[in-house]
């Protein structure tokens, strides 16, 4: 990062007021009567109603449009375990995105917990305050256990965005890229470099979307995850293959798809050259991808490439899904965000990339051409159609799958924020 960009980032978070969030009133608080209704004695009436029926909290409080963004700071962006307090700018940023893109109120919570069990107990104890829980920047493999336990213990949806948000956008873009390349997910040979939270979630969702498990080769820092290894945990063990492949050189030979969720510059030009015709490369390590787009396109003129960066085409960006998934889930009072809802979000996102892009969106990106093809496989985050389309798809899937406690909303489709 240049000195000027670094200073701009610091100024953005510090000025004109430190942080990126504030609290606003939604009811009058000017007169004595207003105050008597807002607090004592008037507040006693909704208290009594909620005591009789907990569901009344959705009627008399902001619970139904409130999401907690919670982290222990153990895996902050690409910076590692810097602790809960250091994660606060990221969690505030996530809350900003919830409000900006889906008009969802959000509170960031940074938890000092020495163990996964303490973290689980803490979050479970406060979960009922919120309409949903967004877990963020929690390292693997603890994040898997934490999310699983909280899903079981909480009556509101719990969603680890580093896993599932990444997976949803990745699979949406990959399905479109493979179609453009004349390939199918069912037949594709996939190499996944990385075995953490995002990698595992991506591969699981690829299976749900139609990929074959025996066509997926996952690698960690020690090489191919194979059945002969004794140094892998249970989560990695799910991806162990009975294979003679040991290295990325072995795995990449003839592969149709490379999915990188690992680190910078780990895929060489020589390795890329050994992939199948018309390969799909998702090099999603941030800020520096597994192979630079310049080198990749210089090496292969037949590939489709995506990264996690906004300064290249085909950015894999979680903001394409998580605000809208929560919007749909909240509006039908879903108890969880299940696989059907994730697949519905994938389909809505990938279909939107095929539609004509509004002039306002194009103008926001310098007027560049955006037509479904090799350099436009995913919608832009500023596309106002994401909210109505993705939220509606998620809400419908929640209702149809039995995860919803309310019917499909009569006021859908939504208008853009």
């Amino acid at each position: 990062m240049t000195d000027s960009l670094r200073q701009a980032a610091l100024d953005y978070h510090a000025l004109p007021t430190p942080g990126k969030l504030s609290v606003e009133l939604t009811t009058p608080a000017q007169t004595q009567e207003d105050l008597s209704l807002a607090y004592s004695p008037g507040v006693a009436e909704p208290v009594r109603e909620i005591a009789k029926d907990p569901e009344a909290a959705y009627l008399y409080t902001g619970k139904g449009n409130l999401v907690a963004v919670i982290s222990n700071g153990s895996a902050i962006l690409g910076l590692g375990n810097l602790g809960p307090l250091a994660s606060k700018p990221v969690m505030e940023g996530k809350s900003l995105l919830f409000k900006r893109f889906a008009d969802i109120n959000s509170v960031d919570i940074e938890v000092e917990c020495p163990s996964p069990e303490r973290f689980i107990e803490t979050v479970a104890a406060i979960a009922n305050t919120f309409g949903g829980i967004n877990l963020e920047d929690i390292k693997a493999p603890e994040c898997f256990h934490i999310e699983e336990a909280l899903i079981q213990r909480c009556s509101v949806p719990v969603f680890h965005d580093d896993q599932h948000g990444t997976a949803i956008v990745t699979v949406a873009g990959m399905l479109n890229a493979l179609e453009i390349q004349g390939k199918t997910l069912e037949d594709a040979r996939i190499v996944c470099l990385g075995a953490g939270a995002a990698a595992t979630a991506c591969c699981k969702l690829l299976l749900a979307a139609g990929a074959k498990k025996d066509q997926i080769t996952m690698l960690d820092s020690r090489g191919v995850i194979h059945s002969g290894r004794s140094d892998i945990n249970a989560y990695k063990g799910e991806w162990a293959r009975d294979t003679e492949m040991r290295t990325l050189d072995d795995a990449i030979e003839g592969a149709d798809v490379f999915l990188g969720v690992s680190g910078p510059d780990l895929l060489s030009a020589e390795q890329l050259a050994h992939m199948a015709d018309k390969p799909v490369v998702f090099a999603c390590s941030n800020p520096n991808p597994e192979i630079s787009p310049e080198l990749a396109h210089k090496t292969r003129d037949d590939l489709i490439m995506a990264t996690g960066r906004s300064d290249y085409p085909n950015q894999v960006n979680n903001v394409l899904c998580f605000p809208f998934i929560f919007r749909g889930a909240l509006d039908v009072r879903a108890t969880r965000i299940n696989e059907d809802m994730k697949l519905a979000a994938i389909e809505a996102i990938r279909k939107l990339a095929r539609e004509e892009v509004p002039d306002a969106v194009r103008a926001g990106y310098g007027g560049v051409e955006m037509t479904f093809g090799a350099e436009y496989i995913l919608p832009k985050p500023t596309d106002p159609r994401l909210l109505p389309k993705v939220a509606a798809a998620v809400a419908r899937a929640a209702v149809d799958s039995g995860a919803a406690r309310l019917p499909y909303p009569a006021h859908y489709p939504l208008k853009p924020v």
Side-chain angles (χ1 to χ4, degrees):
M1 184 177 289
T2 64
D3 289 343
S4 61
L5 184 56
R6 177 180 181 275
Q7 189 58 52
L10 293 174
D11 290 345
Y12 177 88
H13 290 80
L15 304 172
T17 303
K20 302 185 286 297
L21 303 170
S22 69
V23 176
E24 64 179 20
L25 301 181
T26 60
T27 55
Q30 302 302 316
T31 68
Q32 178 62 36
E33 183 181 6
D34 292 340
L35 298 180
S36 68
L37 294 173
Y39 200 58
S40 184
V43 75
E45 297 312 313
V47 168
R48 292 187 180 101
E49 295 300 314
I50 294 168
K52 289 188 294 184
D53 178 11
E55 290 295 294
Y58 289 95
L59 179 61
Y60 296 114
T61 77
K63 171 184 169 75
N65 193 46
L66 183 63
V67 168
V69 178
I70 306 182
S71 181
N72 63 6
S74 59
I76 305 174
L77 299 176
L79 303 174
N81 186 355
L82 300 181
L85 187 59
S87 76
K88 189 171 180 67
V90 184
M91 303 311 117
E92 282 190 352
K94 204 61 174 273
S95 293
L96 178 153
L97 296 174
F98 269 116
K99 189 66 175 180
R100 160 65 178 83
F101 289 104
D103 198 24
I104 293 172
N105 297 324
S106 180
V107 176
D108 66 288
I109 300 174
E110 295 75 36
V111 183
E112 290 273 3
C113 279
S115 71
E117 295 306 323
R118 281 283 303 277
F119 185 87
I120 292 165
E121 290 296 329
T122 301
V123 176
I126 64 172
N128 207 33
T129 301
F130 306 97
I133 303 292
N134 183 102
L135 301 175
E136 194 78 18
D137 288 359
I138 302 170
K139 69 179 181 179
E142 287 92 338
C143 63
F144 304 124
H145 170 56
I146 286 171
E147 187 192 39
E148 289 166 3
L150 287 173
I151 287 172
Q152 294 302 315
R153 293 186 57 172
C154 299
S155 61
V156 298
V158 177
F159 185 83
H160 184 203
D161 186 51
D162 299 308
Q163 291 185 59
H164 310 299
T166 302
I168 288 164
V169 181
T170 296
V171 175
M174 195 168 290
L175 286 168
N176 279 345
L178 285 168
E179 182 177 326
I180 293 166
Q181 296 289 58
K183 301 184 179 187
T184 65
L185 187 58
E186 291 79 4
D187 296 329
R189 279 195 53 218
I190 300 169
V191 172
C192 179
L193 184 60
T200 300
C202 285
C203 289
K204 283 185 176 180
L205 204 50
L206 284 167
L207 291 181
K212 296 176 181 175
K213 194 167 188 178
D214 61 3
Q215 294 277 73
I216 298 176
T217 303
M218 186 180 287
L219 297 91
D220 62 9
S221 59
R222 298 186 179 183
V224 172
I225 296 174
H226 60 85
S227 55
R229 285 180 56 175
S230 59
D231 60 341
I232 52 178
N233 58 41
Y235 297 104
K236 291 183 182 181
E238 293 182 30
W239 301 97
R241 289 188 58 187
D242 185 9
T243 177
E244 297 298 317
M245 293 185 290
R246 296 293 182 266
T247 67
L248 181 57
D249 284 335
D250 298 333
I252 205 71
E253 187 71 39
D256 298 290
V257 173
F258 172 84
L259 171 58
V261 274
S262 48
D265 304 320
L266 295 178
L267 179 68
S268 69
E270 292 75 19
Q271 289 165 335
L272 174 59
H274 282 276
M275 292 185 69
D277 290 342
K278 296 185 176 181
V280 173
V281 174
F282 276 50
C284 297
S285 172
N286 260 327
N288 298 315
E290 284 76 4
I291 185 171
S292 74
E294 291 85 359
L295 178 58
H297 287 292
K298 180 180 178 182
T299 304
R300 299 287 298 257
D301 61 5
D302 62 342
L303 90 163
I304 293 179
M305 183 168 186
T307 71
R309 293 177 53 145
S310 61
D311 52 347
Y312 293 107
N314 300 330
Q315 183 189 19
V316 178
N317 189 337
N318 291 16
V319 79
L320 290 175
C321 71
F322 75 82
F324 319 118
I325 286 175
F326 270 97
R327 179 76 278 159
L330 292 174
D331 288 347
V332 295
R333 211 171 293 172
T335 56
R336 61 182 56 204
I337 296 172
N338 60 28
E339 195 169 84
D340 288 344
M341 296 158 74
K342 297 172 195 174
L343 291 172
I346 288 169
E347 196 62 20
I349 292 167
R350 69 182 294 249
K351 283 183 176 178
L352 184 54
R354 301 156 184 270
E355 298 183 14
E356 186 176 349
V357 179
D359 290 339
V361 175
R362 191 177 290 109
Y365 288 84
V368 299
E369 184 60 30
M370 296 181 191
T371 304
F372 183 62
E375 294 196 341
Y376 184 73
I377 59 174
L378 287 164
K380 296 298 184 183
T382 56
D383 195 318
R385 299 168 298 178
L386 281 163
L387 174 61
K389 290 182 178 293
V390 179
V394 170
R396 174 58 65 192
V399 171
D400 291 347
S401 65
R405 289 182 289 174
L406 294 178
Y408 185 78
H411 66 285
Y412 271 37
L414 296 167
K415 295 180 179 179
V417 173

